[in-house]
mmCIF file of all heavy atoms in Angstrom:
data_model
loop_
_atom_site.group_PDB
_atom_site.id
_atom_site.type_symbol
_atom_site.label_atom_id
_atom_site.label_comp_id
_atom_site.label_asym_id
_atom_site.label_seq_id
_atom_site.Cartn_x
_atom_site.Cartn_y
_atom_site.Cartn_z
ATOM 1 N N ILE A 1 15.462 87.884 110.184
ATOM 2 C CA ILE A 1 15.007 87.211 111.409
ATOM 3 C C ILE A 1 16.032 87.392 112.524
ATOM 4 O O ILE A 1 15.683 87.641 113.682
ATOM 5 C CB ILE A 1 14.771 85.706 111.129
ATOM 6 C CG1 ILE A 1 13.591 85.536 110.156
ATOM 7 C CG2 ILE A 1 14.513 84.948 112.424
ATOM 8 C CD1 ILE A 1 13.404 84.114 109.665
ATOM 9 N N LEU A 2 17.324 87.277 112.165
ATOM 10 C CA LEU A 2 18.390 87.405 113.156
ATOM 11 C C LEU A 2 18.403 88.807 113.766
ATOM 12 O O LEU A 2 18.620 88.963 114.978
ATOM 13 C CB LEU A 2 19.737 87.087 112.514
ATOM 14 C CG LEU A 2 20.928 86.919 113.466
ATOM 15 C CD1 LEU A 2 20.630 85.850 114.508
ATOM 16 C CD2 LEU A 2 22.187 86.552 112.683
ATOM 17 N N PHE A 3 18.180 89.831 112.944
ATOM 18 C CA PHE A 3 18.091 91.200 113.459
ATOM 19 C C PHE A 3 17.020 91.299 114.550
ATOM 20 O O PHE A 3 17.245 91.881 115.617
ATOM 21 C CB PHE A 3 17.755 92.182 112.335
ATOM 22 C CG PHE A 3 18.942 92.957 111.841
ATOM 23 C CD1 PHE A 3 19.317 92.905 110.506
ATOM 24 C CD2 PHE A 3 19.673 93.749 112.700
ATOM 25 C CE1 PHE A 3 20.403 93.621 110.040
ATOM 26 C CE2 PHE A 3 20.771 94.474 112.248
ATOM 27 C CZ PHE A 3 21.135 94.408 110.913
ATOM 28 N N ILE A 4 15.865 90.747 114.275
ATOM 29 C CA ILE A 4 14.740 90.829 115.213
ATOM 30 C C ILE A 4 15.056 90.066 116.499
ATOM 31 O O ILE A 4 14.807 90.555 117.612
ATOM 32 C CB ILE A 4 13.458 90.285 114.551
ATOM 33 C CG1 ILE A 4 13.066 91.179 113.365
ATOM 34 C CG2 ILE A 4 12.317 90.213 115.568
ATOM 35 C CD1 ILE A 4 11.972 90.611 112.500
ATOM 36 N N ILE A 5 15.642 88.873 116.353
ATOM 37 C CA ILE A 5 15.985 88.058 117.529
ATOM 38 C C ILE A 5 17.021 88.770 118.395
ATOM 39 O O ILE A 5 16.876 88.852 119.623
ATOM 40 C CB ILE A 5 16.521 86.678 117.083
ATOM 41 C CG1 ILE A 5 15.399 85.858 116.443
ATOM 42 C CG2 ILE A 5 17.111 85.927 118.273
ATOM 43 C CD1 ILE A 5 15.862 84.546 115.844
ATOM 44 N N VAL A 6 18.076 89.288 117.767
ATOM 45 C CA VAL A 6 19.149 89.950 118.508
ATOM 46 C C VAL A 6 18.633 91.199 119.218
ATOM 47 O O VAL A 6 18.953 91.445 120.388
ATOM 48 C CB VAL A 6 20.313 90.316 117.568
ATOM 49 C CG1 VAL A 6 21.337 91.207 118.285
ATOM 50 C CG2 VAL A 6 21.007 89.054 117.066
ATOM 51 N N GLU A 7 17.819 91.981 118.538
ATOM 52 C CA GLU A 7 17.290 93.202 119.156
ATOM 53 C C GLU A 7 16.350 92.874 120.317
ATOM 54 O O GLU A 7 16.362 93.564 121.340
ATOM 55 C CB GLU A 7 16.578 94.064 118.112
ATOM 56 C CG GLU A 7 17.512 94.805 117.162
ATOM 57 C CD GLU A 7 18.267 95.935 117.839
ATOM 58 O OE1 GLU A 7 18.339 95.990 119.081
ATOM 59 O OE2 GLU A 7 18.818 96.786 117.123
ATOM 60 N N ASN A 8 15.551 91.840 120.165
ATOM 61 C CA ASN A 8 14.673 91.435 121.275
ATOM 62 C C ASN A 8 15.486 90.958 122.467
ATOM 63 O O ASN A 8 15.164 91.260 123.626
ATOM 64 C CB ASN A 8 13.714 90.327 120.820
ATOM 65 C CG ASN A 8 12.582 90.858 119.949
ATOM 66 O OD1 ASN A 8 12.234 92.038 120.035
ATOM 67 N ND2 ASN A 8 12.014 90.006 119.119
ATOM 68 N N LYS A 9 16.556 90.229 122.185
ATOM 69 C CA LYS A 9 17.412 89.724 123.255
ATOM 70 C C LYS A 9 18.130 90.856 123.977
ATOM 71 O O LYS A 9 18.320 90.820 125.203
ATOM 72 C CB LYS A 9 18.435 88.741 122.680
ATOM 73 C CG LYS A 9 19.377 88.159 123.728
ATOM 74 C CD LYS A 9 20.407 87.234 123.092
ATOM 75 C CE LYS A 9 21.378 86.705 124.135
ATOM 76 N NZ LYS A 9 22.433 85.847 123.527
ATOM 77 N N ASN A 10 18.532 91.884 123.209
ATOM 78 C CA ASN A 10 19.305 92.986 123.787
ATOM 79 C C ASN A 10 18.442 94.115 124.342
ATOM 80 O O ASN A 10 18.976 95.133 124.790
ATOM 81 C CB ASN A 10 20.245 93.571 122.723
ATOM 82 C CG ASN A 10 21.362 92.622 122.338
ATOM 83 O OD1 ASN A 10 21.572 91.605 123.000
ATOM 84 N ND2 ASN A 10 22.061 92.936 121.272
ATOM 85 N N ARG A 11 17.137 93.925 124.317
ATOM 86 C CA ARG A 11 16.214 95.010 124.665
ATOM 87 C C ARG A 11 16.533 95.653 126.014
ATOM 88 O O ARG A 11 16.574 96.868 126.150
ATOM 89 C CB ARG A 11 14.777 94.485 124.664
ATOM 90 C CG ARG A 11 13.725 95.564 124.950
ATOM 91 C CD ARG A 11 12.351 94.928 125.000
ATOM 92 N NE ARG A 11 12.055 94.230 123.757
ATOM 93 C CZ ARG A 11 11.039 93.367 123.621
ATOM 94 N NH1 ARG A 11 10.264 93.083 124.659
ATOM 95 N NH2 ARG A 11 10.809 92.789 122.461
ATOM 96 N N ASN A 12 16.769 94.844 127.014
ATOM 97 C CA ASN A 12 17.004 95.370 128.369
ATOM 98 C C ASN A 12 18.449 95.220 128.834
ATOM 99 O O ASN A 12 18.732 95.323 130.025
ATOM 100 C CB ASN A 12 16.063 94.669 129.361
ATOM 101 C CG ASN A 12 14.592 94.904 129.031
ATOM 102 O OD1 ASN A 12 14.199 96.028 128.713
ATOM 103 N ND2 ASN A 12 13.786 93.854 129.090
ATOM 104 N N GLN A 13 19.348 94.966 127.871
ATOM 105 C CA GLN A 13 20.749 94.783 128.228
ATOM 106 C C GLN A 13 21.560 96.041 127.933
ATOM 107 O O GLN A 13 21.289 96.750 126.955
ATOM 108 C CB GLN A 13 21.342 93.590 127.469
ATOM 109 C CG GLN A 13 20.727 92.248 127.866
ATOM 110 C CD GLN A 13 21.430 91.079 127.185
ATOM 111 O OE1 GLN A 13 22.415 91.257 126.486
ATOM 112 N NE2 GLN A 13 20.914 89.881 127.406
ATOM 113 N N ILE A 14 22.535 96.311 128.760
ATOM 114 C CA ILE A 14 23.418 97.458 128.568
ATOM 115 C C ILE A 14 24.637 97.009 127.759
ATOM 116 O O ILE A 14 25.291 96.026 128.120
ATOM 117 C CB ILE A 14 23.880 98.035 129.919
ATOM 118 C CG1 ILE A 14 22.661 98.512 130.725
ATOM 119 C CG2 ILE A 14 24.858 99.192 129.703
ATOM 120 C CD1 ILE A 14 23.007 98.981 132.116
ATOM 121 N N PRO A 15 24.947 97.686 126.640
ATOM 122 C CA PRO A 15 26.094 97.290 125.813
ATOM 123 C C PRO A 15 27.402 97.334 126.604
ATOM 124 O O PRO A 15 27.595 98.193 127.468
ATOM 125 C CB PRO A 15 26.098 98.335 124.691
ATOM 126 C CG PRO A 15 24.704 98.885 124.672
ATOM 127 C CD PRO A 15 24.229 98.838 126.083
ATOM 128 N N ILE A 16 28.289 96.405 126.292
ATOM 129 C CA ILE A 16 29.596 96.360 126.950
ATOM 130 C C ILE A 16 30.548 97.369 126.325
ATOM 131 O O ILE A 16 31.314 98.035 127.016
ATOM 132 C CB ILE A 16 30.189 94.940 126.851
ATOM 133 C CG1 ILE A 16 29.266 93.924 127.534
ATOM 134 C CG2 ILE A 16 31.586 94.893 127.480
ATOM 135 C CD1 ILE A 16 29.685 92.486 127.303
ATOM 136 N N VAL A 17 30.484 97.498 125.009
ATOM 137 C CA VAL A 17 31.397 98.371 124.265
ATOM 138 C C VAL A 17 30.622 99.598 123.787
ATOM 139 O O VAL A 17 29.729 99.494 122.949
ATOM 140 C CB VAL A 17 32.010 97.638 123.057
ATOM 141 C CG1 VAL A 17 32.938 98.558 122.278
ATOM 142 C CG2 VAL A 17 32.753 96.386 123.522
ATOM 143 N N LYS A 18 30.989 100.768 124.319
ATOM 144 C CA LYS A 18 30.258 101.996 124.006
ATOM 145 C C LYS A 18 31.087 103.011 123.227
ATOM 146 O O LYS A 18 30.622 104.121 122.987
ATOM 147 C CB LYS A 18 29.742 102.632 125.303
ATOM 148 C CG LYS A 18 28.758 101.749 126.065
ATOM 149 C CD LYS A 18 28.268 102.441 127.322
ATOM 150 C CE LYS A 18 27.302 101.551 128.095
ATOM 151 N NZ LYS A 18 26.810 102.222 129.325
ATOM 152 N N SER A 19 32.298 102.648 122.857
ATOM 153 C CA SER A 19 33.130 103.520 122.025
ATOM 154 C C SER A 19 34.068 102.650 121.200
ATOM 155 O O SER A 19 34.430 101.532 121.612
ATOM 156 C CB SER A 19 33.938 104.500 122.886
ATOM 157 O OG SER A 19 34.827 103.805 123.735
ATOM 158 N N ILE A 20 34.454 103.149 120.028
ATOM 159 C CA ILE A 20 35.294 102.362 119.118
ATOM 160 C C ILE A 20 36.630 102.003 119.742
ATOM 161 O O ILE A 20 37.174 100.916 119.503
ATOM 162 C CB ILE A 20 35.483 103.121 117.789
ATOM 163 C CG1 ILE A 20 34.194 103.055 116.969
ATOM 164 C CG2 ILE A 20 36.649 102.552 116.989
ATOM 165 C CD1 ILE A 20 34.279 103.673 115.601
ATOM 166 N N ASP A 21 37.185 102.897 120.565
ATOM 167 C CA ASP A 21 38.492 102.605 121.158
ATOM 168 C C ASP A 21 38.439 101.451 122.159
ATOM 169 O O ASP A 21 39.472 100.925 122.552
ATOM 170 C CB ASP A 21 39.069 103.860 121.814
ATOM 171 C CG ASP A 21 38.206 104.359 122.962
ATOM 172 O OD1 ASP A 21 36.974 104.397 122.816
ATOM 173 O OD2 ASP A 21 38.769 104.732 124.006
ATOM 174 N N ARG A 22 37.202 101.039 122.561
ATOM 175 C CA ARG A 22 37.063 99.888 123.463
ATOM 176 C C ARG A 22 37.006 98.564 122.702
ATOM 177 O O ARG A 22 36.973 97.499 123.324
ATOM 178 C CB ARG A 22 35.807 100.049 124.320
ATOM 179 C CG ARG A 22 35.827 101.246 125.263
ATOM 180 C CD ARG A 22 36.974 101.159 126.249
ATOM 181 N NE ARG A 22 36.892 99.972 127.077
ATOM 182 C CZ ARG A 22 36.208 99.888 128.211
ATOM 183 N NH1 ARG A 22 35.550 100.952 128.659
ATOM 184 N NH2 ARG A 22 36.175 98.772 128.912
ATOM 185 N N ILE A 23 36.976 98.639 121.391
ATOM 186 C CA ILE A 23 37.024 97.418 120.583
ATOM 187 C C ILE A 23 38.475 96.926 120.546
ATOM 188 O O ILE A 23 39.359 97.638 120.078
ATOM 189 C CB ILE A 23 36.523 97.672 119.145
ATOM 190 C CG1 ILE A 23 35.040 98.053 119.153
ATOM 191 C CG2 ILE A 23 36.748 96.445 118.257
ATOM 192 C CD1 ILE A 23 34.478 98.386 117.776
ATOM 193 N N ASN A 24 38.714 95.715 121.054
ATOM 194 C CA ASN A 24 40.066 95.165 121.023
ATOM 195 C C ASN A 24 40.274 94.345 119.745
ATOM 196 O O ASN A 24 39.348 94.178 118.938
ATOM 197 C CB ASN A 24 40.357 94.332 122.272
ATOM 198 C CG ASN A 24 39.354 93.194 122.462
ATOM 199 O OD1 ASN A 24 38.880 92.601 121.481
ATOM 200 N ND2 ASN A 24 39.013 92.897 123.699
ATOM 201 N N TYR A 25 41.465 93.808 119.561
ATOM 202 C CA TYR A 25 41.772 93.107 118.316
ATOM 203 C C TYR A 25 40.982 91.809 118.168
ATOM 204 O O TYR A 25 40.567 91.454 117.055
ATOM 205 C CB TYR A 25 43.285 92.827 118.243
ATOM 206 C CG TYR A 25 44.091 94.073 118.013
ATOM 207 C CD1 TYR A 25 44.699 94.741 119.077
ATOM 208 C CD2 TYR A 25 44.231 94.615 116.735
ATOM 209 C CE1 TYR A 25 45.434 95.914 118.871
ATOM 210 C CE2 TYR A 25 44.963 95.775 116.515
ATOM 211 C CZ TYR A 25 45.551 96.420 117.591
ATOM 212 O OH TYR A 25 46.263 97.583 117.376
ATOM 213 N N ARG A 26 40.767 91.114 119.259
ATOM 214 C CA ARG A 26 39.992 89.869 119.178
ATOM 215 C C ARG A 26 38.556 90.143 118.776
ATOM 216 O O ARG A 26 37.984 89.431 117.944
ATOM 217 C CB ARG A 26 40.038 89.153 120.526
ATOM 218 C CG ARG A 26 39.355 87.785 120.511
ATOM 219 C CD ARG A 26 39.646 87.005 121.778
ATOM 220 N NE ARG A 26 39.131 87.681 122.974
ATOM 221 C CZ ARG A 26 39.239 87.206 124.200
ATOM 222 N NH1 ARG A 26 39.878 86.057 124.394
ATOM 223 N NH2 ARG A 26 38.744 87.863 125.222
ATOM 224 N N LEU A 27 37.975 91.206 119.345
ATOM 225 C CA LEU A 27 36.608 91.578 119.000
ATOM 226 C C LEU A 27 36.529 92.060 117.553
ATOM 227 O O LEU A 27 35.583 91.722 116.821
ATOM 228 C CB LEU A 27 36.112 92.675 119.948
ATOM 229 C CG LEU A 27 34.693 93.218 119.721
ATOM 230 C CD1 LEU A 27 33.679 92.087 119.768
ATOM 231 C CD2 LEU A 27 34.360 94.277 120.767
ATOM 232 N N ALA A 28 37.528 92.817 117.119
ATOM 233 C CA ALA A 28 37.562 93.300 115.739
ATOM 234 C C ALA A 28 37.603 92.122 114.758
ATOM 235 O O ALA A 28 36.893 92.115 113.741
ATOM 236 C CB ALA A 28 38.769 94.205 115.523
ATOM 237 N N PHE A 29 38.424 91.123 115.063
ATOM 238 C CA PHE A 29 38.520 89.946 114.192
ATOM 239 C C PHE A 29 37.187 89.201 114.151
ATOM 240 O O PHE A 29 36.761 88.737 113.088
ATOM 241 C CB PHE A 29 39.632 89.020 114.677
ATOM 242 C CG PHE A 29 39.893 87.852 113.752
ATOM 243 C CD1 PHE A 29 40.719 88.009 112.641
ATOM 244 C CD2 PHE A 29 39.314 86.619 113.979
ATOM 245 C CE1 PHE A 29 40.962 86.944 111.777
ATOM 246 C CE2 PHE A 29 39.542 85.545 113.131
ATOM 247 C CZ PHE A 29 40.369 85.713 112.027
ATOM 248 N N ALA A 30 36.535 89.093 115.309
ATOM 249 C CA ALA A 30 35.239 88.399 115.376
ATOM 250 C C ALA A 30 34.199 89.111 114.520
ATOM 251 O O ALA A 30 33.416 88.463 113.808
ATOM 252 C CB ALA A 30 34.775 88.313 116.825
ATOM 253 N N ILE A 31 34.194 90.438 114.563
ATOM 254 C CA ILE A 31 33.275 91.204 113.718
ATOM 255 C C ILE A 31 33.620 90.970 112.247
ATOM 256 O O ILE A 31 32.731 90.863 111.387
ATOM 257 C CB ILE A 31 33.342 92.706 114.054
ATOM 258 C CG1 ILE A 31 32.819 92.940 115.480
ATOM 259 C CG2 ILE A 31 32.528 93.529 113.060
ATOM 260 C CD1 ILE A 31 32.995 94.364 115.980
ATOM 261 N N GLY A 32 34.913 90.862 111.952
ATOM 262 C CA GLY A 32 35.352 90.597 110.592
ATOM 263 C C GLY A 32 34.878 89.249 110.068
ATOM 264 O O GLY A 32 34.642 89.094 108.861
ATOM 265 N N VAL A 33 34.714 88.281 110.959
ATOM 266 C CA VAL A 33 34.197 86.972 110.542
ATOM 267 C C VAL A 33 32.751 87.109 110.052
ATOM 268 O O VAL A 33 32.344 86.448 109.089
ATOM 269 C CB VAL A 33 34.275 85.957 111.706
ATOM 270 C CG1 VAL A 33 33.552 84.664 111.355
ATOM 271 C CG2 VAL A 33 35.740 85.673 112.047
ATOM 272 N N PHE A 34 31.981 87.968 110.699
ATOM 273 C CA PHE A 34 30.614 88.217 110.241
ATOM 274 C C PHE A 34 30.628 88.902 108.874
ATOM 275 O O PHE A 34 29.770 88.623 108.026
ATOM 276 C CB PHE A 34 29.854 89.070 111.259
ATOM 277 C CG PHE A 34 29.327 88.295 112.425
ATOM 278 C CD1 PHE A 34 30.102 88.102 113.557
ATOM 279 C CD2 PHE A 34 28.058 87.733 112.387
ATOM 280 C CE1 PHE A 34 29.621 87.368 114.639
ATOM 281 C CE2 PHE A 34 27.567 87.005 113.453
ATOM 282 C CZ PHE A 34 28.345 86.814 114.593
ATOM 283 N N GLN A 35 31.588 89.787 108.653
ATOM 284 C CA GLN A 35 31.708 90.403 107.331
ATOM 285 C C GLN A 35 32.031 89.342 106.281
ATOM 286 O O GLN A 35 31.585 89.443 105.131
ATOM 287 C CB GLN A 35 32.797 91.475 107.334
ATOM 288 C CG GLN A 35 32.961 92.159 105.992
ATOM 289 C CD GLN A 35 33.930 93.320 106.015
ATOM 290 O OE1 GLN A 35 33.542 94.470 105.862
ATOM 291 N NE2 GLN A 35 35.208 93.027 106.205
ATOM 292 N N LEU A 36 32.779 88.326 106.662
ATOM 293 C CA LEU A 36 33.106 87.235 105.758
ATOM 294 C C LEU A 36 31.836 86.540 105.260
ATOM 295 O O LEU A 36 31.737 86.159 104.093
ATOM 296 C CB LEU A 36 34.014 86.217 106.466
ATOM 297 C CG LEU A 36 34.267 84.891 105.745
ATOM 298 C CD1 LEU A 36 34.947 85.125 104.411
ATOM 299 C CD2 LEU A 36 35.109 83.965 106.626
ATOM 300 N N ILE A 37 30.853 86.385 106.141
ATOM 301 C CA ILE A 37 29.592 85.755 105.745
ATOM 302 C C ILE A 37 28.961 86.528 104.595
ATOM 303 O O ILE A 37 28.458 85.945 103.630
ATOM 304 C CB ILE A 37 28.625 85.681 106.943
ATOM 305 C CG1 ILE A 37 29.224 84.827 108.056
ATOM 306 C CG2 ILE A 37 27.268 85.127 106.512
ATOM 307 C CD1 ILE A 37 28.414 84.831 109.344
ATOM 308 N N ALA A 38 28.990 87.865 104.699
ATOM 309 C CA ALA A 38 28.430 88.706 103.648
ATOM 310 C C ALA A 38 29.231 88.592 102.358
ATOM 311 O O ALA A 38 28.679 88.667 101.259
ATOM 312 C CB ALA A 38 28.378 90.156 104.110
#
């Protein structure tokens, strides 16, 4: 359900981060928190 909601929300939005080198440490840690859920 979350996949569908997020994709619908992002349908007309332009991503902020378009390359891996633009991922900073705070963003990397935040993504890691989602991995923790798994």
Side-chain angles (χ1 to χ4, degrees):
I1 294 172
L2 191 56
F3 258 122
I4 296 170
I5 292 174
V6 171
E7 285 289 17
N8 284 336
K9 180 182 178 183
N10 291 349
R11 183 183 303 166
N12 299 316
Q13 294 185 4
I14 299 175
I16 300 172
V17 179
K18 298 181 181 180
S19 62
I20 286 184
D21 63 316
R22 296 300 300 273
I23 295 177
N24 57 35
Y25 289 98
R26 185 169 62 179
L27 179 57
F29 186 83
I31 294 173
V33 171
F34 280 89
Q35 181 174 248
L36 170 61
I37 298 173

